[in-house]
Amino acid sequence: MNCHAAASIIALVHDNASAKFLRMLGLTPQQIRTIICYQAEYQAIMRCSLRDPDAIAPVTIIVPSRASAEWIAGKFDGCAINKLETGLDWERRKIGRPKAVRSMSGAERARKCRERKKLKAA
């Protein structure tokens, strides 16, 4: 409780059996994310001086996403959200397996070969 900084680096997947059960009960994907991800992050960061109601020192918390930062910030008055500058330039890639490249048929290969020969002869 004497610590004034915490980082939550939890990588939670909210598409598992418990999430399916919660969907079956009628919860929305956002409610499920809150229950599974944000609540776990909240519990992790509350191990610092945030637990002490008499603490007055500023606290720095690092969480994995802006959405979780906004949800947690809503629990505390006077909270400010800033992006952590890491110097990394990561791009989001498309999730899933890449599409298979269709191979050429025999006729297409023969046509391309004839075209290459014509260009070479010219």
Side-chain angles (χ1 to χ4, degrees):
M1 288 191 26
N2 294 330
C3 180
H4 304 298
S8 170
I9 53 173
I10 298 171
L12 296 171
V13 177
H14 69 282
D15 192 29
N16 53 23
S18 57
K20 290 175 186 167
F21 174 73
L22 294 170
R23 267 196 306 274
M24 206 171 67
L25 294 177
L27 275 75
T28 66
Q30 182 59 38
Q31 290 170 322
I32 293 170
R33 178 171 279 286
T34 298
I35 292 167
I36 294 175
C37 298
Y38 302 163
Q39 286 288 338
E41 291 171 7
Y42 177 81
Q43 292 299 321
I45 66 155
M46 289 303 290
R47 302 294 184 248
C48 68
S49 62
L50 288 173
R51 293 174 92 174
D52 183 4
D54 298 325
I56 56 171
V59 177
T60 301
I61 302 297
I62 299 172
V63 292
S65 71
R66 181 167 187 89
S68 61
E70 289 171 351
W71 185 84
I72 291 170
K75 306 291 178 221
F76 302 98
D77 292 333
C79 190
I81 299 173
N82 297 311
K83 181 180 180 191
L84 180 64
E85 293 300 328
T86 61
L88 300 174
D89 187 21
W90 291 347
E91 292 182 18
R92 282 186 135 180
R93 294 186 307 173
K94 196 170 186 179
I95 297 173
R97 189 177 208 171
K99 290 184 178 181
V101 178
R102 186 184 70 84
S103 59
M104 291 188 286
S105 68
E108 290 172 322
R109 281 193 298 277
R111 185 175 37 81
K112 284 197 177 257
C113 182
R114 284 191 304 271
E115 288 172 4
R116 280 194 305 270
K117 285 180 181 177
K118 281 183 186 178
L119 286 174
K120 193 175 183 181

